[in-house]
Amino acid sequence: MQTESALHLRRRALTAAELDAIPWIHLLSSLERERAVEELKIADASPGEYICRMGRPVTYWFGVVDGLLKMSSDNAEGQTMTFTGVPPGGWFGEGTAMKRETYRYNIQALRKSMVAGLHVDTFHWLLDHSIGFNRFVMNQLNERLGQFIAAREIDRMTNPDIRVARSLASLFNPVLYPGVGEVLRITQQELAYLVGLSRQRVNEALTALAAQDVIKVEYGGLRVLDLQALRSQMVFR
DNA sequence: TCATTAAATTGTT
DNA sequence: AACAATTTAATGA
């Protein structure tokens, strides 16, 4: 986590696969889509690179096309608190974009990622013109509210196995992160950073979950077998 | 395409 | 934190 330079978004034609990874594109009318696609920008982010920083004015509404990002904030004592990871298909910052305020969080790439950005002005134009887009944003805000409440619960859990399970479940959220699908590409080290546990402990928790056939541990990723079980994981002893 | 080597990730102590 | 084992990615013939 060292790169300080700001993310450089380039304007270029997105490939069909990249557009497919943007969930709200399909909710627009052809006219709206045309304008949105034209305004969309894209960038590669290296590990540690900042996508946006706390306190900076909002310029773009961001989404993850590929890779994994980390949302965190720094408190008054200078300590960093990690809130959540953002896997593929996830879009964030709509709250601040709507109010045209400054970013409330730091967003960093946890690994090499591809990030798309829509300028705030275009974001507002879509809000003013597209019902489909409004529906998406509303749904997004609603779902995230639920996720943050769940995150508070997770924080109060002492049991590491449950913390890992619930954190994983939120990363597998199909509404917020439709790009994830069955397999979440994340290393155990990356998950350890997000959950705030050691890699060893995360490994132990994952092994326990795999033994219950809730997930399957794969090289460089995790396959969800039973999302419900992941969400409602209990302590076994 | 295949074989070899380096790098990344995982499992374990 | 350290180490070995395993998997993937990179390289070059």
Side-chain angles (χ1 to χ4, degrees):
Chain A
M1 317 295 161
Q2 70 294 80
T3 316
E4 292 290 312
S5 66
L7 188 77
H8 180 64
L9 284 166
R10 299 185 293 142
R11 182 135 153 213
R12 68 154 165 87
L14 305 204
T15 68
E18 287 163 357
L19 283 176
D20 253 7
I22 299 174
W24 47 267
I25 277 285
H26 313 282
L27 305 175
L28 308 181
S29 73
S30 52
L31 181 81
E32 294 155 1
R33 189 180 314 127
E34 195 180 334
R35 171 152 181 186
V37 168
E38 195 173 313
E39 293 289 328
L40 267 172
K41 297 195 178 116
I42 200 147
D44 284 310
S46 316
E49 194 172 346
Y50 280 88
I51 314 304
C52 60
R53 288 169 177 283
M54 280 175 80
R56 301 284 176 82
V58 175
T59 45
Y60 289 96
W61 181 52
F62 291 110
V64 182
V65 175
D66 192 42
L68 187 65
L69 310 184
K70 179 184 86 168
M71 183 183 288
S72 64
S73 80
D74 301 320
N75 63 21
E77 292 89 60
Q79 290 185 322
T80 300
M81 173 178 270
T82 298
F83 288 115
T84 180
V86 190
W91 284 73
F92 52 88
E94 59 278 345
T96 34
M98 283 173 76
K99 292 182 283 184
R100 292 181 184 271
E101 291 179 343
T102 55
Y103 291 114
R104 288 222 182 87
Y105 312 106
N106 289 319
I107 306 278
Q108 274 177 289
L110 217 46
R111 65 161 68 174
K112 191 177 180 307
S113 303
M114 190 181 289
V115 180
L118 188 73
H119 194 87
V120 223
D121 294 339
T122 315
F123 176 84
H124 272 93
W125 184 85
L126 282 172
L127 278 184
D128 290 341
H129 292 83
S130 171
I131 292 194
F133 190 74
N134 275 274
R135 200 170 285 141
F136 176 87
V137 172
M138 206 179 290
N139 198 33
Q140 175 98 350
L141 288 168
N142 189 35
E143 197 68 27
R144 203 195 305 290
L145 179 62
Q147 204 193 34
F148 270 88
I149 289 173
R152 289 212 58 178
E153 291 182 43
I154 293 173
D155 261 349
R156 295 181 180 183
M157 311 238 180
T158 49
N159 185 287
D161 293 275
I162 298 186
R163 286 185 62 114
V164 171
R166 300 281 171 90
S167 304
L168 258 187
S170 62
L171 288 175
F172 274 111
N173 184 321
V175 177
L176 287 175
Y177 314 123
V180 173
E182 303 274 293
V183 179
L184 174 67
R185 295 262 306 156
I186 190 171
T187 67
Q188 298 181 8
Q189 179 65 77
E190 290 166 340
L191 186 57
Y193 281 135
L194 291 180
V195 185
L197 295 169
S198 70
R199 184 175 70 80
Q200 291 95 315
R201 195 58 191 80
V202 167
N203 178 273
E204 197 182 335
L206 292 177
T207 306
L209 288 169
Q212 296 174 52
D213 288 324
V214 174
I215 59 166
K216 189 173 184 301
V217 179
E218 299 181 356
Y219 185 88
L222 300 164
R223 180 180 298 272
V224 65
L225 303 176
D226 189 345
L227 186 52
Q228 273 310 316
L230 203 54
R231 289 190 176 123
S232 55
Q233 204 45 221
M234 295 291 167
V235 194
F236 290 111
R237 58 169 60 199

